[in-house]
Amino acid sequence: MSNFFSKAEVTSSGRPVLLHNEVECHLLSAVDLEPEDHRHFSLLKSGLLILTTHRLIWLPSYSASTPTSASAIPLAAISHIFSSKKSLKSVFHSPRIRFQVLVSSDGRVFDPSSGSGSSSGSGSRSVVVTAVIRGKGDCDGFLVKFWDSWRARAWETTKTSSSGSGSASGSGAATGIGGGLYSSDGSVRMVGVAGILRKEQEMWESTDKSLQDAFQDLNALMSKAKEMVMLAEKMRQKLLSGTSSQTSGTNDEDMGSKEEMQDWLLSVGIISPVTKESAGALYHQQLSRQLADFVRIPLERAGGMINLIDAYCLFNRARGTELISPDDMLQACSLWEKFDVPVMLRKFDSGVMVIQNKSHSDEEVFARIKSLVTKPEALRTGISPTDAAMTLGIAPAMAKEHLLTAESKGLLCRDISPDGFRFYINLFPEIDPCNMYFVKDYGICSTWIKAVSTTGLGIGERSSTFR
């Protein structure tokens, strides 16, 4: 059988990778896609069907372990959608949605973005595809949105804007990813501070003009909303793709403004947020996967672990008006145990909950803490959570949790005073109970004795710390 459907890419959490300016509209679970010619075309059984403004995307059995089997049908390839007929027979079988798809001469769905085949050229024909909904989704609501998305022809607007960007890049104007200053992977094509500053100036001039046009009246603002989101996404990609070599010649004030702008633009991270209206019964599952994709960048910036409250604030800010409740957030995180995603929810003994990468290693963190706490100054005075936070590059509250965990593993000892918590290296494993006064010439205990002896205080005075 030929591979009738087009391939679709998915993220590491099993969410579809959306095209430029593509937005999700509706979802249905347990859907079969059946081309009318079963002998020549393969069938897709019991998967998740996602309707977007550009495509029908089918994901198999909601499994992220088989991303290559995800399929798609461009809405541009659909020539007709059949109206649903209510009859006595339809009461006793699963709801069905039938539509007609253009097929190229090689037996595949016509894909206008691939540049191969023609929707009306020689050798093309039509095949009727039936979507059998075996789940409990809103079939009628899906059909209505299917009609609306197909009639809106949003892919034509995207194609026009892309071709316009391409011509602009040929004339030297500042463009987004795919032309001019940026390559297809988001990296900067040009090098040199002068060239980058010139491109930034052109981009900000274009931004200023767009803002002036957008705020003339409410109707103009609504018409410019999509353009503003696209512009923010371009600026976000530019900042994320910047390298240290490009910022080495800037002063502290410029660096501060860039970091502030980066923090602001990172909040514009979700163009098509999962909602209860679009996902229905699959809301928490889809929300869980979208959250797993979203926290990837904040986790990288936070050293592999982020407080759940901080993640909740960042995620809600990125969703704009589509806010979620703390219960929705917690339920979405708890579903990660069932999915093959690279992140996990962790709860410390103190009750603090964090999100961390599965590749995040406590042993690596403990090694860095041990290196810090065995320095001569730390051997004398210990370290505070703030000291550990500066070394680990995380918040003091998170550093304190790591120090307490290291204490529970026997690596550290804790001293509580009016000044707060101080942590010291644990010397007790090197002390022989049968000969407590014997000190080896090597080891941490010997190093500690040499460190505290330089302060002029007796060892007995320092030893009281560990009693």
Side-chain angles (χ1 to χ4, degrees):
M1 292 186 180
S2 64
N3 191 1
F4 176 73
F5 301 97
S6 303
K7 290 185 178 181
E9 296 182 5
V10 297
T11 64
S12 58
S13 65
R15 289 277 302 164
V17 177
L18 300 181
L19 303 175
H20 177 66
N21 210 25
E22 185 178 16
V23 178
E24 290 183 26
C25 301
H26 209 284
L27 293 86
L28 288 176
S29 61
V31 178
D32 300 344
L33 289 183
E34 302 177 350
E36 62 180 0
D37 191 350
H38 293 179
R39 294 173 299 177
H40 298 90
F41 300 131
S42 58
L43 307 180
L44 300 179
K45 291 291 186 179
S46 188
L48 176 68
L49 186 63
I50 302 177
L51 170 67
T52 72
T53 53
H54 293 59
R55 297 177 293 172
L56 283 173
I57 304 174
W58 185 90
L59 302 179
S61 301
Y62 221 144
S63 174
S65 60
T66 56
T68 55
S69 58
S71 304
I73 300 177
L75 297 187
I78 298 176
S79 59
H80 182 70
I81 301 176
F82 297 94
S83 301
S84 60
K85 296 180 180 179
K86 300 295 183 180
S87 62
L88 182 62
K89 182 180 179 181
S90 64
V91 177
F92 298 99
H93 62 65
S94 301
R96 284 166 165 77
I97 298 176
R98 298 172 67 245
F99 51 92
Q100 192 167 279
V101 179
L102 295 173
V103 181
S104 59
S105 57
D106 60 354
R108 296 178 60 87
V109 171
F110 165 70
D111 187 356
S113 63
S114 64
S116 60
S118 173
S119 59
S120 59
S122 59
S124 63
R125 58 191 180 94
S126 298
V127 172
V128 175
V129 177
T130 302
V132 183
I133 295 91
R134 305 191 186 278
K136 298 181 180 180
D138 184 7
C139 181
D140 294 334
F142 185 90
L143 183 59
V144 171
K145 291 186 179 293
F146 190 16
W147 273 99
D148 293 341
S149 299
W150 182 60
R151 288 169 175 166
R153 308 186 73 82
W155 59 90
E156 293 183 351
T157 304
T158 303
K159 185 176 181 181
T160 303
S161 62
S162 299
S163 61
S165 300
S167 61
S169 63
S171 60
T175 60
I177 295 176
L181 185 60
Y182 307 103
S183 60
S184 58
D185 61 353
S187 60
V188 180
R189 285 179 175 174
M190 293 184 59
V191 294
V193 177
I196 295 174
L197 291 177
R198 178 170 56 84
K199 292 297 182 181
E200 285 185 349
Q201 181 65 29
E202 293 176 359
M203 183 184 66
W204 283 113
E205 289 177 358
S206 176
T207 303
D208 183 63
K209 185 177 183 304
S210 298
L211 290 173
Q212 290 178 1
D213 295 338
F215 283 93
Q216 286 180 357
D217 52 56
L218 183 59
N219 292 331
L221 177 61
M222 296 304 295
S223 65
K224 291 286 184 178
K226 184 183 296 185
E227 183 179 344
M228 293 298 103
V229 172
M230 293 170 58
L231 180 61
E233 178 67 15
K234 292 177 183 178
M235 294 161 60
R236 184 177 75 92
Q237 292 291 344
K238 176 183 180 299
L239 287 177
L240 291 178
S241 62
T243 61
S244 59
S245 61
Q246 296 163 357
T247 58
S248 58
T250 58
N251 54 36
D252 293 340
E253 182 178 355
D254 292 338
M255 286 295 296
S257 62
K258 285 182 180 294
E259 291 178 357
E260 182 180 356
M261 182 61 69
Q262 185 180 29
D263 292 337
W264 178 76
L265 289 174
L266 282 174
S267 65
V268 195
I270 304 177
I271 299 177
S272 180
V274 173
T275 63
K276 292 183 178 179
E277 180 183 2
S278 64
L282 302 174
Y283 171 66
H284 286 102
Q285 294 181 3
Q286 288 291 324
L287 183 67
S288 176
R289 293 180 180 271
Q290 188 172 68
L291 177 60
D293 290 331
F294 173 79
V295 297
R296 179 178 59 85
I297 294 178
L299 281 175
E300 290 177 357
R301 302 179 63 203
M305 181 181 293
I306 186 173
N307 192 294
L308 184 61
I309 298 176
D310 295 338
Y312 174 75
C313 295
L314 291 173
F315 191 54
N316 259 339
R317 187 170 64 174
R319 289 175 62 89
T321 58
E322 301 293 343
L323 304 180
I324 64 171
S325 67
D327 289 338
D328 288 339
M329 180 78 170
L330 189 59
Q331 188 169 347
C333 293
S334 64
L335 289 176
W336 287 338
E337 297 179 357
K338 302 179 181 179
F339 302 149
D340 184 17
V341 295
V343 295
M344 59 179 289
L345 179 66
R346 177 179 179 181
K347 186 175 182 179
F348 285 100
D349 295 337
S350 62
V352 175
M353 289 187 289
V354 298
I355 297 174
Q356 74 173 47
N357 287 323
K358 288 183 177 179
S359 59
H360 182 80
S361 172
D362 283 346
E363 286 70 22
E364 180 182 349
V365 175
F366 292 162
R368 297 173 65 183
I369 291 176
K370 184 176 181 180
S371 176
L372 173 65
V373 81
T374 52
K375 292 181 178 180
E377 182 64 26
L379 287 172
R380 294 192 296 266
T381 62
I383 62 172
S384 66
T386 303
D387 299 329
M390 295 177 63
T391 299
L392 300 176
I394 58 178
M398 295 301 304
K400 181 179 178 181
E401 296 297 332
H402 282 304
L403 292 173
L404 292 174
T405 304
E407 180 196 23
S408 67
K409 300 295 183 181
L411 177 64
L412 302 177
C413 288
R414 184 197 337 165
D415 178 49
I416 304 176
S417 68
D419 295 332
F421 283 71
R422 304 291 297 185
F423 291 85
Y424 298 82
I425 190 68
N426 185 9
L427 303 178
F428 293 109
E430 293 190 5
I431 298 177
D432 186 1
C434 300
N435 191 359
M436 299 183 60
Y437 298 99
F438 175 73
V439 179
K440 300 177 181 179
D441 294 334
Y442 57 89
I444 298 177
C445 188
S446 175
T447 306
W448 174 76
I449 292 176
K450 294 177 182 178
V452 298
S453 63
T454 60
T455 63
L457 298 178
I459 295 178
E461 297 177 73
R462 287 291 178 177
S463 300
S464 62
T465 302
F466 303 104
R467 293 174 183 172

